[in-house]
Amino acid sequence: MREPRAGRIAGAAIASLILASSLVGAGRAQMGKVGTSLDPQNFGQIERGRYLAITGDCASCHTVPESNQPFAGGRPIETPFGVVVGANITPDPETGIGDWSDELFVRALREGKGHDGQLLYPAMPYPYYTKLTESDALAIRAYLNTVKPVRNAVVSNKLPFPFDVREGMAAWNALYFKSGEFKPDSAKSAEWNRGAYLVEGLGHCGACHTPKTTLGGDDRGQALQGYALQGWFAPNITNDSERGLGGWSIADIVGYLKNGHNMTTASTGIMAEEITLSSSHMTDADLTAIATYLKDLPGQTARPPQAVSASDPRMAAGGAVYVDECSACHGMDGKGVPFLFPSLAGSPNVRSADPASLIRVLIEGARSVATAGEPTGPGMPSFAWKLSDDQAAAVLTYIRNSWGASAPAVDPGQVAQARARAAMASGR
Amino acid sequence: MFFDPAEGAAVEALVDRLIPPDPETPGGKDAGCAVFIDRQLAGPYGRRAGLYLSPPFIKGTKQQGPQDEDGPAVRYRKALAALDQYCRQEKGGAFVSLSDADKDAVIGGLESGAVKLDSVDGQAFFELLLGNTREGFFADPIYGGNRDMCAWRMIGYPGARYDYRDWVHRHNEPYPHPPVSFMGRADWNARKT
Amino acid sequence: MAQKLPKKDVAIIGLGWTGSILAHELTDEGLDVIAIERGPWRDAPTDFPTTYVQDELRYRIRHELFLRPEQMTFTFRNRMDQQALPIRTWGAFMPMTGVGGGGVHWNAETFRFLPSDFVLKTHLTQRYGAKFLPEDMTIQDYGVTYDDLEPHYDRFEYLCGTSGTAGNLKGQIVEGGNPFEGPRSRPYPTPAQEQPFSYTLFAKAARELGYKPFPQPSGNLSQAYENPLGVRLGPCTYCGFCEWFGCGNYSKASPQTTILPALVRKSNFAYRTECEVTRINLDGSGKRATGVTFVDTSGEEWEQPADLVILAAFSVFNVQLLLLSGVGKPYDPVANQGVIGRNFTHQTISQAIGFFDKDKFNFNPFIASGSIGMCIDEFNGDNFDHGPLGFVGGGYMGQVQTNGRPIQTNRVPPGTPAWGAKWKSGVRDNYLSTVIPGTGVHGSFYSYRDVYLDLDQLYKDRFGRPLMRMTIDFHDNEIKQNAYLTDKFAEIIKAMGAKEVVKEPRKAPYDVTQYQTTHLCGGAIMGTDPSTSAINRYLQSWDVPNLFIMGASAFPQNAGYNPTGTVAALAYWSAEAIKTQYLKNPGPLVHA
């Protein structure tokens, strides 16, 4: 499995960096325990902060789902190195951030430093939030000041050694953290710049969609070109015609982010949660700005791989499974039903180099997101009991190489891995 | 699971006359109908799970439906015992040992009521057995019968499918795909080259 | 002692079609609504997915989606002088349980009644004279007209995306549709389903005989559809697993595919599943409902207070709950008094089977949907002159075969043994070339004095309460009606080119083991006179004004059509009265 191997290599690297680096964290400035100085009656600022907190999807890490305790922390976040737990960011003075000064809060968001100067883990996406303007960061603070204080002491650091040594983050930051507010590009439109501000900043899209180095930092050279995490493959969201959003219009992107569904696809898994908590509540203008920016990210010049030959026995087998089991929703032409059953034909997801999401949906089934704009939320059943690893691999190979597409065949071993992961997850 | 060996053999013999083998299609025995019935009787169907079983059990009109105190599992047990007794007494041996003609005569007698079983309604048992045999013959193979989908092949039923849109307008044309069961069909497996 | 819950504005008993419609309408008014459903939540990908729903044994033969008789059943007898016995396993009808109710497992045949059906007593008396009707026939006018309900029929059809061809647009007869239907304000929301071979052949034969065949109005959609609530359905794929089964690919109209996704998003809507309402609670005067009592799966009793109670539990369960709660005067057939339980009806169903030459005809019967079919309406209602015929009523007829599921689709020509080699070859040789219409003749069932519901004296449910007793048999009128219709139907089957036609007319006595649709109606009927009806024209209880009773229990008699379209139209009609009249001024809406 990819993750532990990366972890082991990273562990060795970080351990040596820890020995080499001085105690960066020792240079703590004693910030006063004074609490907020923001005006609790500045409703304009508070409402702006509320919108920004939604845009940044703070709840996805800081709120335990269905706990009815917003921002009280306690939600475990799976990283390639282990589990980090989201902190309590309600105004509780002892277990939350109630006693933090506003400067401390802004520093946490934009510099990745905790209350006493300890280095935060980039599961808290400060490398992205560094782009926030001070005004936006303060607005978020103003909003969080109004949230119900919850007494909930959270220990965030649940990482195994050596990752639990926070000082190691100093070296990581040296490699991967470039502090600094967003600088607009004067050659681009205001809309593009707003989109860039959101995507590269508060939206922290790259946290899931940008491939990582073995040390877990963003591989900037392949920004937003897709990344495998938590058993899914977060797809390429550049304007690449084969693997990215090249076939989507701005309206398709906006519709997807707002409603979870568009003509050709439906959101499920982690992105479904993002849509529910975050982008479905954003303004059309902001969603359009995001789409404008993404559509301007150049595609890659990689040529698509050669298609698996139609005479390959796996194609015949996969085609038989498809006719019998898949066409009732996805159609013999692979086009599905707009807004109801995703189109497999012409789908970058289906053709992605890493088929993790595809395999997972087939093995576990999938419930698509239900939003106000698209309340139906259709689901796909699990095929785990019906298809062997070979049969599942065959039908996925078939859809990846039909209707004009070409992508590497799926290996039965990958299906077996997905089954094992699902079994482990459901046993938890 | 439910039948003892003698009962199982008798049921196999019965279903093989109800649906005899022919060169094209297996009979009830090789199709697995007895296996089907055995599993059904061992499960909720056999013990009438979910049905209204409160007393009193009063025999009513035919239109009022079954009012038996016994469920299918008990009825099979009793009927097979009574049938065995009848065959030994009247036909000189257990049902399995009779010739096909004699077996058919016994079954026909149950159907018509001419064959009377001790303390068991032979006609009612015949109806029950015939119904279960047909169920086993035509249900999905996961239930134990319809082995290799032989019954579906016989009639031209394509099995557990869900999309016939391409065939709605093709009037009076044979449907080309072979039957598929819940666990698939042979074509789902890549042919080894 | 029941634990009391916080009060809600509205408590709805049952979350099927009418429960969902009322919940949606009343939450739109800002009311705080709770729906209490006896069965479980049901949903396509988890309860009837395309991976295993095509299981005839499990769902059709073993009734897995349906109410277990152990949980609730009825007793049955044909005549009053008989001992009623429990229906220990379902046969003649299949009561549903679970969210979505019958809307999950129905065929989705979505008819409207004829205008004359709503004023039947007046109409037939005017045309044929009072003496033409049998003395013990108790038909009544509904108290609403087709015109009252037209906008609500339209609303339901557009909710569902019903697929059909209009036959009467604002009075203009349109070729291809049903020329007998009442005028509709606009066309169906989606076009009629494409018809496979046998149905097309039936239409051709019917046309040649001078009839006007039309496609059966179908809630199995011909194309993808987004309804006014933003909920989406997909196109039907003709799987042949419709009635008795849930739809695995969102192409059958049901509460799940039309209302519930929008309803569950509302903060003022709550629901409880697997909670059985055992009583509608009344105050000391007996004239006001204070809420309901229900039992959860651990046997705990709870009281849900509410200002308004909507009884939406399905026709016969509505009546049962009314009887057990002491709402309204129970019907006594001997004294001919009382209203709860009177005018109980079902449907008069028959078919004619056509055996065709297997070398010339291949019908692929497995390519079908629940509402596929071509029908004629020449013999429905009072569309034809009954004077010389000596009966009233009628029904639509058509090739409406819904499936080719093999356990039950193995008809052999008469004379073929029921088992053995000849049976086997008979099934083999006839499976693909036999037309088995199913509810091919779908006739009305009018009401009679001695066909009714009351409480049984002997058998009890799991709470120790008396089961409801059904006393029901066919009267000569329906038998004559059916014989006539079956003959006409057989002529069309013959004209299709059958080499042999087997007529199977309905025969008395009514048999509770033979499936005849689940169109159980009446027992809490609507009307203009409280001495002969349980509810007024707005479905409001005459006795308890803050209780409204949905469903086909409202029908004073059953027409020759599937009831759901009319049930839904009445629900919307009633909801409108609640919203525009009752909420502003709670109290009786009609003063008799």
Side-chain angles (χ1 to χ4, degrees):
Chain A
M1 286 236 263
R2 195 179 148 226
E3 288 142 19
R5 210 181 326 120
R8 278 200 293 281
I9 292 169
I14 285 181
S16 61
L17 287 170
I18 290 169
L19 291 173
S21 71
S22 52
L23 286 166
V24 172
R28 304 174 207 175
Q30 281 296 323
M31 304 268 188
K33 288 183 193 289
V34 294
T36 187
S37 317
L38 296 176
D39 178 2
Q41 300 276 302
N42 186 347
F43 299 116
Q45 184 186 44
I46 289 167
E47 177 52 30
R48 200 159 64 78
R50 188 186 73 85
Y51 179 78
L52 290 168
I54 286 172
T55 302
D57 204 5
C58 310
S60 73
C61 291
H62 291 283
T63 304
V64 171
E66 289 171 39
S67 65
N68 221 4
Q69 304 208 304
F71 305 111
R75 187 174 194 192
I77 300 142
E78 216 183 296
T79 78
F81 307 100
V83 170
V84 175
V85 183
N88 181 346
I89 55 172
T90 71
D92 184 79
E94 279 160 36
T95 63
I97 57 170
D99 70 336
W100 289 33
S101 69
D102 300 327
E103 290 81 3
L104 268 184
F105 177 82
V106 172
R107 188 183 72 166
L109 272 193
R110 304 201 301 173
E111 304 295 326
K113 293 210 169 83
H115 184 272
D116 301 313
Q118 75 271 37
L119 300 175
L120 301 182
Y121 291 105
M124 167 62 190
Y126 61 87
Y128 296 91
Y129 296 164
T130 193
K131 296 210 166 10
L132 277 170
T133 62
E134 192 182 16
S135 164
D136 278 353
L138 286 173
I140 293 174
R141 181 79 210 275
Y143 166 64
L144 288 175
N145 287 339
T146 70
V147 162
K148 184 176 114 188
V150 174
R151 189 178 179 75
N152 183 27
V154 174
V155 175
S156 287
N157 188 352
K158 299 271 209 237
L159 295 169
F161 182 81
F163 309 115
D164 61 341
V165 180
R166 286 187 180 269
E167 287 77 1
M169 286 311 305
W172 190 95
N173 284 342
L175 288 171
Y176 296 117
F177 177 42
K178 194 148 168 267
S179 150
E181 214 172 283
F182 176 75
K183 304 226 174 332
D185 183 342
S186 55
K188 302 283 188 184
S189 70
E191 191 175 60
W192 184 100
N193 277 299
R194 175 68 179 168
Y197 178 68
L198 290 174
V199 171
E200 302 296 348
L202 200 50
H204 66 288
C205 309
C208 291
H209 286 276
T210 296
K212 309 287 179 254
T213 66
T214 48
L215 292 179
D218 279 355
D219 182 351
R220 293 298 309 170
Q222 295 189 64
L224 298 178
Q225 290 176 29
Y227 172 52
L229 77 161
Q230 297 180 17
W232 297 98
F233 182 70
N236 182 327
I237 52 173
T238 68
N239 200 31
D240 189 82
S241 55
E242 269 293 303
R243 313 268 177 237
L245 301 176
W248 287 21
S249 67
I250 300 230
D252 287 335
I253 299 171
V254 171
Y256 177 82
L257 292 173
K258 187 184 176 85
N259 299 319
H261 298 258
N262 61 25
M263 283 281 293
T264 54
T265 201
S267 175
T268 189
I270 315 172
M271 191 63 187
E273 188 194 80
E274 186 282 328
I275 289 171
T276 302
L277 295 177
S278 178
S279 55
S280 65
H281 303 285
M282 289 167 66
T283 63
D284 285 356
D286 275 350
L287 295 178
T288 306
I290 289 171
T292 302
Y293 175 71
L294 292 176
K295 287 290 285 178
D296 199 46
L297 296 174
Q300 297 76 59
T301 49
R303 292 179 62 217
Q306 189 163 26
V308 174
S309 162
S311 61
D312 187 309
R314 291 171 296 181
M315 290 293 280
V321 174
Y322 190 87
V323 161
D324 296 351
E325 299 298 319
C326 315
S327 81
C329 294
H330 293 286
M332 285 305 295
D333 58 6
K335 291 190 176 153
V337 174
F339 294 96
L340 206 59
F341 309 132
S343 176
L344 303 177
S347 164
N349 248 331
V350 167
R351 284 173 283 184
S352 63
D354 184 335
S357 292
L358 281 188
I359 301 174
R360 184 161 177 168
V361 163
L362 185 65
I363 290 302
E364 296 185 25
R367 170 83 58 184
S368 69
V369 69
T371 55
E374 287 292 335
T376 312
M380 169 163 156
S382 157
F383 283 79
W385 59 273
K386 189 184 264 274
L387 300 176
S388 66
D389 291 346
D390 284 328
Q391 292 165 349
V395 71
L396 291 175
T397 300
Y398 174 80
I399 67 172
R400 283 157 69 74
N401 290 280
S402 292
W403 313 297
S406 59
V410 171
D411 189 77
Q414 293 172 298
V415 178
Q417 267 179 19
R419 271 190 222 274
R421 185 180 213 284
M424 231 174 56
S426 65
R428 246 185 252 143
Chain B
M1 292 169 66
F2 177 80
F3 294 131
D4 69 32
E7 287 168 330
V11 174
E12 276 187 337
L14 281 162
V15 302
D16 221 34
R17 295 315 303 159
L18 291 174
I19 305 180
D22 64 52
E24 283 163 20
T25 311
K29 176 176 163 195
D30 285 338
C33 294
V35 172
F36 168 85
I37 296 174
D38 182 64
R39 286 190 200 167
Q40 290 289 305
L41 296 180
Y45 168 73
R47 56 176 189 271
R48 291 189 297 179
L51 302 193
Y52 183 83
L53 300 178
S54 297
F57 292 90
I58 300 170
K59 190 165 162 61
T61 63
K62 174 189 168 298
Q63 289 73 31
Q64 288 179 301
Q67 300 291 326
D68 308 273
E69 199 150 354
D70 294 334
V74 175
R75 290 177 62 197
Y76 267 84
R77 215 121 267 150
K78 287 184 178 173
L80 290 172
L83 178 68
D84 189 60
Q85 183 188 8
Y86 172 87
C87 288
R88 286 181 195 283
Q89 276 174 1
E90 306 294 326
K91 299 287 182 183
F95 183 82
V96 299
S97 68
L98 305 180
S99 68
D100 281 353
D102 279 347
K103 283 179 188 154
D104 288 352
V106 170
I107 295 174
L110 288 171
E111 182 184 17
S112 68
V115 166
K116 301 262 183 270
L117 299 180
D118 186 17
S119 311
V120 166
D121 183 336
Q123 272 182 316
F125 174 65
F126 169 81
E127 295 295 334
L128 177 66
L129 174 67
L130 183 63
N132 291 155
T133 303
R134 289 183 186 178
E135 288 167 3
F137 195 57
F138 287 115
D140 191 281
I142 54 165
Y143 290 106
N146 192 13
R147 201 166 286 148
D148 293 329
M149 300 180 273
C150 60
W152 291 351
R153 255 182 260 285
M154 180 180 92
I155 60 177
Y157 171 68
R161 293 178 179 284
Y162 218 72
D163 184 11
Y164 293 109
R165 278 175 291 181
D166 287 350
W167 293 90
V168 177
H169 60 278
R170 296 181 68 162
H171 293 183
N172 217 3
E173 288 182 43
Y175 179 78
H177 297 302
V180 61
S181 71
F182 288 133
M183 300 316 293
R185 56 179 166 114
D187 296 321
W188 285 13
N189 301 312
R191 251 170 254 113
K192 307 269 184 251
T193 42
Chain C
M1 185 64 205
Q3 293 187 73
K4 206 160 178 167
L5 292 163
K7 185 159 85 78
K8 295 276 183 181
D9 296 327
V10 187
I12 301 181
I13 305 170
L15 191 54
W17 265 128
T18 59
S20 300
I21 288 171
L22 266 291
H24 192 266
E25 294 300 293
L26 297 180
T27 48
D28 270 359
E29 287 300 300
L31 296 176
D32 205 17
V33 176
I34 186 159
I36 304 170
E37 165 57 45
R38 155 160 74 188
W41 183 265
R42 294 208 191 275
D43 188 43
T46 48
D47 296 276
F48 25 93
T50 56
T51 42
Y52 59 80
V53 72
Q54 316 88 324
D55 193 332
E56 185 184 9
L57 182 77
R58 182 175 180 181
Y59 297 110
R60 172 61 183 94
I61 313 283
R62 301 284 186 255
H63 311 162
E64 183 165 306
L65 282 182
F66 293 87
L67 179 67
R68 292 278 181 254
E70 181 182 43
Q71 182 173 9
M72 181 58 69
T73 187
F74 314 101
T75 61
F76 158 78
R77 61 185 182 180
N78 286 128
R79 298 185 319 273
M80 285 161 55
D81 60 2
Q82 289 174 317
Q83 163 77 54
L85 296 180
I87 303 172
R88 298 186 179 275
T89 183
W90 302 122
F93 44 81
M94 300 296 303
M96 187 55 166
T97 191
V99 171
V104 166
H105 77 88
W106 69 320
N107 265 328
E109 297 159 275
T110 313
F111 280 100
R112 301 185 179 192
F113 283 2
L114 296 164
S116 54
D117 285 331
F118 293 101
V119 287
L120 191 68
K121 180 79 185 284
T122 303
H123 175 99
L124 290 180
T125 306
Q126 268 174 11
R127 184 168 181 183
Y128 303 108
K131 290 212 179 66
F132 193 75
L133 304 174
E135 205 207 309
D136 57 351
M137 184 181 273
T138 54
I139 58 175
Q140 293 175 198
D141 292 354
Y142 275 61
V144 292
T145 64
Y146 173 87
D147 289 340
D148 288 330
L149 294 185
E150 201 287 326
H152 306 285
Y153 273 124
D154 174 275
R155 185 137 183 233
F156 183 61
E157 287 158 8
Y158 273 75
L159 178 81
C160 295
T162 308
S163 299
T165 303
N168 181 337
L169 279 173
K170 297 191 183 149
Q172 187 93 319
I173 303 297
V174 180
E175 190 69 32
N178 180 0
F180 298 96
E181 69 182 14
R184 49 180 72 234
S185 48
R186 50 179 175 164
Y188 284 94
T190 59
Q193 281 193 286
E194 203 181 339
Q195 302 286 340
F197 181 32
S198 65
Y199 315 86
T200 308
L201 196 59
F202 177 90
K204 176 169 174 288
R207 237 173 259 121
E208 283 162 3
L209 288 173
Y211 300 118
K212 298 254 188 261
F214 59 93
Q216 184 170 208
S218 173
N220 322 121
L221 301 201
S222 59
Q223 59 192 43
Y225 179 74
E226 182 187 2
N227 79 6
L229 307 187
V231 186
R232 294 185 186 268
L233 294 96
C236 171
T237 51
Y238 302 84
C239 71
F241 286 87
C242 209
E243 67 188 329
W244 311 80
F245 302 83
C247 178
N249 64 1
Y250 299 80
S251 57
K252 174 159 74 175
S254 67
Q256 278 82 349
T257 54
T258 58
I259 300 178
L260 292 174
L263 183 61
V264 296
R265 299 188 68 80
K266 295 177 172 181
S267 56
N268 55 337
F269 174 69
Y271 64 90
R272 292 179 186 280
T273 55
E274 298 187 280
C275 287
E276 180 155 5
V277 171
T278 51
R279 197 171 57 249
I280 300 166
N281 300 318
L282 305 175
D283 71 3
S285 72
K287 290 187 172 37
R288 187 180 159 73
T290 59
V292 304
T293 294
F294 66 88
V295 177
D296 66 20
T297 48
S298 60
E300 293 282 338
E301 232 187 4
W302 301 86
E303 189 188 324
Q304 175 60 68
D307 287 331
L308 177 61
V309 176
I310 309 290
L311 180 52
F314 180 66
S315 59
V316 283
F317 300 126
N318 287 349
V319 178
Q320 181 183 35
L321 207 51
L322 293 170
L323 289 171
L324 292 171
S325 305
V327 174
K329 186 164 175 204
Y331 173 66
D332 174 353
V334 176
N336 200 11
Q337 284 186 1
V339 294
I340 308 298
R342 75 180 295 141
N343 286 46
F344 174 53
T345 54
H346 194 179
Q347 203 86 63
T348 312
I349 301 292
S350 69
Q351 65 174 341
I353 295 173
F355 294 97
F356 291 72
D357 183 337
K358 72 174 172 40
D359 297 319
K360 298 205 176 93
F361 295 88
N362 180 343
F363 295 122
N364 286 336
F366 43 85
I367 301 178
S369 76
S371 309
I372 203 70
M374 295 297 289
C375 305
I376 62 164
D377 227 16
E378 273 77 355
F379 300 108
N380 207 335
D382 198 42
N383 294 344
F384 56 115
D385 184 6
H386 292 75
L389 301 174
F391 64 85
V392 286
Y396 70 83
M397 57 177 72
Q399 162 49 343
V400 293
Q401 183 171 358
T402 65
N403 73 94
R405 299 186 291 260
I407 297 175
Q408 298 206 312
T409 310
N410 46 37
R411 298 302 299 259
V412 287
T416 311
W419 58 279
K422 288 214 167 62
W423 174 83
K424 194 182 181 194
S425 61
V427 171
R428 185 193 63 215
D429 293 340
N430 287 284
Y431 173 76
L432 289 173
S433 54
T434 305
V435 164
I436 310 169
T439 55
V441 172
H442 191 282
S444 56
F445 191 119
Y446 290 165
S447 41
Y448 296 89
R449 189 161 150 186
D450 60 353
V451 178
Y452 67 101
L453 301 166
D454 68 352
L455 292 176
D456 193 83
Q457 309 295 307
L458 183 54
Y459 292 94
K460 310 243 180 287
D461 71 4
R462 69 194 199 285
F463 300 120
R465 307 175 307 168
L467 294 182
M468 194 168 69
R469 176 170 62 185
M470 300 178 161
T471 305
I472 173 170
D473 201 357
F474 288 109
H475 280 236
D476 286 344
N477 183 72
E478 274 63 35
I479 298 300
K480 273 198 193 128
Q481 175 230 109
N482 185 266
Y484 181 79
L485 262 56
T486 308
D487 283 347
K488 293 290 182 195
F489 184 62
E491 284 169 19
I492 307 174
I493 303 291
K494 185 87 184 121
M496 283 170 72
K499 58 182 176 156
E500 186 173 5
V501 177
V502 177
K503 286 192 283 196
E504 296 185 340
R506 185 60 52 185
K507 297 257 185 265
Y510 175 97
D511 188 334
V512 95
T513 69
Q514 307 289 310
Y515 183 68
Q516 294 157 72
T517 79
T518 307
H519 306 162
L520 302 168
C521 308
I525 66 176
M526 61 194 294
T528 51
D529 178 356
S531 68
T532 55
S533 56
I535 53 181
N536 62 29
R537 66 199 298 260
Y538 301 111
L539 309 192
Q540 180 185 38
S541 162
W542 292 111
D543 304 279
V544 181
N546 67 334
L547 172 67
F548 286 73
I549 306 170
M550 304 294 131
S553 39
F555 295 3
Q557 60 277 337
N558 198 9
Y561 294 106
N562 308 66
T564 302
T566 304
V567 164
L570 283 168
Y572 276 118
W573 159 261
S574 171
E576 187 180 78
I578 294 172
K579 284 159 62 167
T580 58
Q581 299 176 56
Y582 179 84
L583 291 176
K584 297 181 164 66
N585 187 15
L589 297 175
V590 177
H591 295 276

